[in-house]
Amino acid sequence: MQLEFSFIIPVYNRPDEIEELLQSFTRLKTSLNFEIVIVEDGSTVTSENIINTYNQQLDIAYFKKNNTGPGDSRNFGMKQAKGNYFIILDSDCILPPKYLNEVIKSLTKDYVDCFGGPDASHDSFSNIQKAINFSMTSFLTTGGIRGNKKSVNKFQPRSFNMGLSKEAFDKSGGFGEIHPGEDPDLSIRLWNLGFKTKLIPEAYVFHKRRISWKKFYKQVNKFGMVRPILNSWHPETKKVTYWFPSLFVTGFFFSIILWGIFNFKLFLVLYLVYFLTAFTWALFKTKSLTIASLAILAICIQFMGYGIGFLKATIAINIFKRDPEKEFPDLFFKKT
């Protein structure tokens, strides 16, 4: 099958990010033709003027619609696309020049109907962004589930950098209404339909992520709340590792209590060893004392946000038997 690629990019009030992403498209070193489908998801600050400046250089299809969330906007874009293989990106990504060549090389060698690629930190990113990137991608924090091919058995692509064939989209119906969590939900449904997924480690993107600690906490807190919902929908995918951030946080406070009441320091020493290991690894990876120090803060926020969110949703769904959509309406977008 001759692959024809359509990039699908939902955007919400982020014209500056779209400009950086489109600039990176102009630097792609590829002989392949491709189209870019940008879906303005109810933005009040649109990207139209930015897009108009790139229309002569790139094949761009631009659509505006009401705000129904990134999942539904991706589905909308795929329905409008001309290609038979879609590559879904977040608007806060930047593509390296060899990105598309790496994708086609991997799919030619070992075709799958859905792939994911990792994310990396760009030199232009702020120190906070680089620290958050380390926290979100390091084996010491996420176990490599976001892009370490040696650490995963069955890869769940993430929608900031995800490929999906038209056939897989048509048969699965695309993304659901939950957000975040729409990407692992889609991956699981694709497996149940008999489609294969894989990681293409060479097809990485530079992913900016959140630019403040407050936004980062809110993001990972939602990640934590979503996982018990996904576990209730797809119980066969439950893993004990999903409990680790919650156990990490509760264990830390338990260790402080043991130290304060009984002067028992062993558990706190183990936490200190972990943080020293993470700091050393971050220093080795980033070559920066500042970023390595900020990475420790990022790890704490990540574990705290995810762990609290996971516990909150687990208690609501598994103990009190609450309806997820009624209990956590902010995690669901409704089509209009």
Side-chain angles (χ1 to χ4, degrees), residues 169-235:
F169 170 67
D170 290 339
K171 290 187 177 180
S172 66
F175 294 96
E177 295 176 353
I178 194 170
H179 176 73
E182 70 274 23
D183 31 18
D185 172 60
L186 175 56
S187 295
I188 297 165
R189 289 189 286 110
L190 288 172
W191 296 339
N192 292 337
L193 290 169
F195 292 104
K196 293 182 179 180
T197 64
K198 74 171 181 178
L199 169 72
I200 304 180
E202 299 80 11
Y204 63 89
V205 299
F206 300 112
H207 192 195
K208 280 192 169 182
R209 301 188 181 280
R210 300 307 180 198
I211 58 174
S212 71
W213 296 122
K214 182 178 180 180
K215 290 181 179 179
F216 180 51
Y217 177 86
K218 183 177 180 180
Q219 182 186 53
V220 293
N221 184 247
K222 284 186 174 182
F223 287 163
M225 287 190 288
V226 157
R227 182 50 66 177
I229 298 173
L230 296 177
N231 288 344
S232 68
W233 290 353
H234 310 287

Side-chain angles (χ1 to χ4, degrees), residues 75-234:
N75 292 343
F76 177 89
M78 287 186 279
K79 290 176 183 177
Q80 314 304 318
K82 301 172 185 176
N84 58 16
Y85 208 104
F86 311 129
I87 298 179
I88 301 153
L89 301 172
D90 278 357
S91 62
D92 59 351
C93 290
I94 298 173
L95 296 179
K98 295 182 179 180
Y99 175 86
L100 193 53
N101 285 343
E102 296 294 349
V103 170
I104 190 63
K105 181 167 62 175
S106 179
L107 293 180
T108 300
K109 182 179 179 180
D110 178 28
Y111 179 82
V112 294
D113 286 277
C114 180
F115 76 84
D119 54 347
S121 178
H122 194 270
D123 289 341
S124 66
F125 289 3
S126 70
N127 287 339
I128 290 179
Q129 288 171 326
K130 291 175 181 177
I132 290 174
N133 180 268
F134 173 84
S135 178
M136 291 292 285
T137 60
S138 174
F139 177 80
L140 292 172
T141 53
T142 61
I145 64 171
R146 302 182 71 90
N148 186 329
K149 63 180 178 179
K150 296 180 180 179
S151 307
V152 292
N153 294 320
K154 207 170 184 180
F155 186 66
Q156 295 181 1
R158 296 299 193 266
S159 53
F160 65 82
N161 179 14
M162 179 180 190
L164 184 68
S165 72
K166 187 177 189 304
E167 179 185 3
F169 170 67
D170 290 339
K171 290 187 177 180
S172 66
F175 294 96
E177 295 176 353
I178 194 170
H179 176 73
E182 70 274 23
D183 31 18
D185 172 60
L186 175 56
S187 295
I188 297 165
R189 289 189 286 110
L190 288 172
W191 296 339
N192 292 337
L193 290 169
F195 292 104
K196 293 182 179 180
T197 64
K198 74 171 181 178
L199 169 72
I200 304 180
E202 299 80 11
Y204 63 89
V205 299
F206 300 112
H207 192 195
K208 280 192 169 182
R209 301 188 181 280
R210 300 307 180 198
I211 58 174
S212 71
W213 296 122
K214 182 178 180 180
K215 290 181 179 179
F216 180 51
Y217 177 86
K218 183 177 180 180
Q219 182 186 53
V220 293
N221 184 247
K222 284 186 174 182
F223 287 163
M225 287 190 288
V226 157
R227 182 50 66 177
I229 298 173
L230 296 177
N231 288 344
S232 68
W233 290 353
H234 310 287

Side-chain angles (χ1 to χ4, degrees), residues 3-19:
L3 294 179
E4 298 174 353
F5 292 99
S6 295
F7 287 87
I8 313 298
I9 307 164
V11 59
Y12 179 71
N13 289 338
R14 294 184 178 184
D16 293 341
E17 290 180 353
I18 280 293
E19 182 168 23

